Amino acid sequence: MTEPFAVLVRRRRRERGLTQQQLADLAGVSRGTIRNIEGGMRPYASTAAQIDGAFDRFDESSAFVALANGPALVFVAADGAAHAVDSDRWNAAVLAPRDRTLLKALLGHATTRLSTPLEAQETPR
C-alpha cells in the first residue's frame, strides 16, 4: 500500500528539517497550501509536481553544500549557479529570495545533522 500524499509530504518535510513556510517558499506555493495538503487535501497535479521539485532541489543542493576556508559557505542554487557567501552576511541581497530560503533551510538541516550523534542518525534509504 502506498503512502497518502499528505503523509508523504509531511514525512519528507520533517526528515529534511523544513518548516511548512520553507517548503512553501521553495515550491512557490502558499504555506496554507502546504498545511491543507498535509491535512489531507488532494492537490492539483501541477502543485504536487512543484512540491516534489522543491524536495528534489533541496536534496540536490544538500549534496553540494560544503564549508570553504574561512567563514564562508559555498552552495549550489536550484539554477546550478554556485554561490560563496560570507557567513556573517549570508542573507545578503545578492541572493534571490528563493536561494536565501534554500540556504537557510540547508544550514538548519546541516546544523541538525552535525549536532546529532552518528549512531542516532537514520541511514538514507
Side-chain angles (χ1 to χ4, degrees):
M1 183 173 186
T2 60
E3 257 181 328
F5 191 67
V7 174
L8 180 65
V9 169
R10 183 180 306 113
R11 182 179 54 75
R12 289 177 76 189
R13 178 180 62 78
R14 288 180 175 170
E15 284 174 352
R16 288 155 181 84
L18 295 170
T19 64
Q20 287 182 341
Q21 185 64 59
Q22 288 171 326
L23 176 58
D25 290 345
L26 292 171
V29 300
S30 71
R31 188 185 70 74
T33 296
I34 300 298
R35 182 188 63 236
N36 290 340
I37 289 170
E38 287 186 0
M41 181 190 84
R42 289 187 51 155
Y44 292 113
S46 60
T47 303
Q50 285 175 261
I51 293 168
D52 281 338
F55 284 126
D56 290 344
R57 280 188 302 282
F58 182 86
D59 292 344
E60 289 168 11
S61 292
S62 292
F64 290 107
V65 172
L67 291 175
N69 290 335
L73 182 79
V74 176
F75 79 102
V76 177
D79 63 1
H83 299 273
V85 185
D86 184 312
S87 63
D88 293 330
R89 298 177 26 203
W90 70 269
N91 204 17
V94 37
L95 297 176
R98 187 171 176 165
D99 289 344
R100 283 196 300 270
T101 299
L102 178 60
L103 181 57
K104 188 173 184 177
L106 289 169
L107 286 171
H109 181 69
T111 301
T112 300
R113 294 290 290 189
L114 290 172
S115 64
T116 305
L118 286 176
E119 56 275 358
Q121 293 181 14
E122 289 186 33
T123 52
R125 296 176 201 162

